[in-house]
Amino acid sequence: MQVNNSVALVTGANGGIGSHFVDELLRHEAAKIYVCARSLEKLSGLVALDPSRIVPIALDVTNPQSVETAATHCQDVTVLINNAGTSLNQGLIAADNLDGARAEIEVNYFGMLSMCRAFAPVLKQNGGGAIVNMLSLLGRVNLPFSGSYSASKAAAISMTQGVRAELAAQNTLVVGVMPGTVDTDLANEWPNPKVAPAEVAKATLQALIDNVEDVYPGEQAKTVSALLLSDPKAAEKYMAKFLPGMMLAGTDA
Ligand SMILES: NC(=O)c1ccc[n+]([C@@H]2O[C@H](COP(=O)([O-])OP(=O)(O)OC[C@H]3O[C@@H](n4cnc5c(N)ncnc54)[C@H](OP(=O)(O)O)[C@@H]3O)[C@@H](O)[C@H]2O)c1
């Protein structure tokens, strides 16, 4: 997959990892980058990096009209980076009700799926291109501290596999990224170690260039994914120690 001269679209571009995707795309000489956020005001700093190549777009991935408008407007996209995500750090049983779990699945699963569906024809008309889905190691093994978030990412991993199969015929590369803990606002309450968001963006673009479908950026992701292969029950038991409501920030996992 060629990243230089590509036309990329990044959802949640104003967020921790999202803004690093934009930096990396600039570094790899993407021709145009649509940067998306729910609020356009949050994008002025990013656009200032290179107003000739960076185009701001208002996008809420949970709003079907907003997704459709983005797809209609951005017909030249060749690389879709589904980065937008949310975590409310709630347990599955400990949460007062299902509102948080529904909000997470709306963004992390339905939002991502609706972007894949809206942009599949755009990518096809542009020769295939690529989709990058920001998933999580927590989709491979549940962290009870953020149990409903983990479940939403598990759904997104399964969805990514299905989308990959369905889009193979149109030559669309579908890449799933499964980092461990990344040093952004989303993981403020999670324990160390944390991989730098710049490292996640860099590893992801390299995977695109190398046609690698499953990306595990950082040491933690590599160690846990290896354990999931060799002893999945040990990985589950290890994560089971991190229960809802614990004070995890500043501790080491
Ligand atoms: N941080 C980690 O440890 C970690 C680990 C593995 C995977 N990830 C995944 O990496 C991705 C980026 O996360 P991050 O760590 O950079 O978190 P972040 O700093 O909280 O950024 C999340 C971004 O998603 C946007 N977003 C949330 N809901 C949205 C919606 N309905 N429509 C459009 N945009 C929406 C946010 O926009 P607003 O500013 O408007 O809220 C923000 O720009 C997420 O998918 C996350 O699940 C993170």
Side-chain angles (χ1 to χ4, degrees):
M1 172 75 208
Q2 290 268 106
V3 177
N4 73 317
N5 274 326
S6 64
V7 176
L9 183 147
V10 183
T11 69
N14 60 300
I17 302 171
S19 61
H20 287 278
F21 273 128
V22 178
D23 288 341
E24 274 299 301
L25 286 161
L26 287 172
R27 199 172 70 79
H28 281 276
E29 298 183 346
K32 192 197 283 184
I33 308 164
Y34 294 108
V35 293
C36 306
R38 288 187 283 191
S39 148
L40 282 177
E41 295 93 77
K42 292 184 179 174
L43 293 169
S44 50
L46 274 181
V47 174
L49 291 175
D50 188 342
S52 66
R53 282 193 286 164
I54 301 182
V55 182
I57 301 281
L59 173 67
D60 180 338
V61 298
T62 65
N63 178 329
Q65 187 61 54
S66 177
V67 170
E68 196 184 312
T69 303
T72 304
H73 185 78
C74 308
Q75 286 285 309
D76 50 355
V77 167
T78 59
V79 179
L80 169 65
I81 302 187
N82 283 318
N83 168 72
T86 191
S87 173
L88 300 174
N89 292 332
Q90 293 187 345
L92 290 157
I93 303 297
D96 291 338
N97 52 50
L98 291 178
D99 293 354
R102 287 192 207 282
E104 288 166 333
I105 211 115
E106 273 299 328
V107 179
N108 299 341
Y109 174 71
F110 284 115
M112 189 176 273
L113 174 57
S114 112
M115 287 296 291
C116 291
R117 288 170 55 86
F119 278 87
V122 175
L123 295 170
K124 183 178 183 182
Q125 86 196 0
N126 295 329
I131 296 175
V132 173
N133 284 347
M134 278 306 297
L135 307 167
S136 170
L137 201 55
L138 301 185
R140 302 274 327 277
V141 56
N142 194 284
L143 178 76
F145 179 82
S146 300
S148 52
Y149 168 80
S150 303
S152 72
K153 289 292 183 179
I157 288 176
S158 176
M159 178 266 284
T160 299
Q161 292 171 341
V163 168
R164 180 179 294 134
E166 285 194 55
L167 297 187
Q170 69 172 47
N171 205 26
T172 300
L173 173 67
V174 179
V175 174
V177 189
M178 286 152 288
T181 312
V182 187
D183 195 3
T184 68
D185 289 349
L186 184 140
N188 269 344
E189 295 180 46
W190 297 353
N192 295 321
K194 297 182 183 183
V195 63
E199 191 179 333
V200 175
K202 192 172 176 189
T204 302
L205 287 216
Q206 194 55 51
L208 264 184
I209 292 163
D210 297 340
N211 290 323
V212 173
E213 293 178 349
D214 301 313
V215 192
Y216 292 93
E219 277 315 303
Q220 186 189 36
K222 288 181 181 55
T223 305
V224 177
S225 62
L227 183 61
L228 281 165
L229 278 180
S230 63
D231 192 347
K233 190 48 86 173
E236 179 190 332
K237 293 290 179 202
Y238 175 74
M239 297 299 253
K241 292 188 290 189
F242 301 103
L243 289 168
M246 282 180 160
M247 290 293 293
L248 301 184
T251 62
D252 289 327

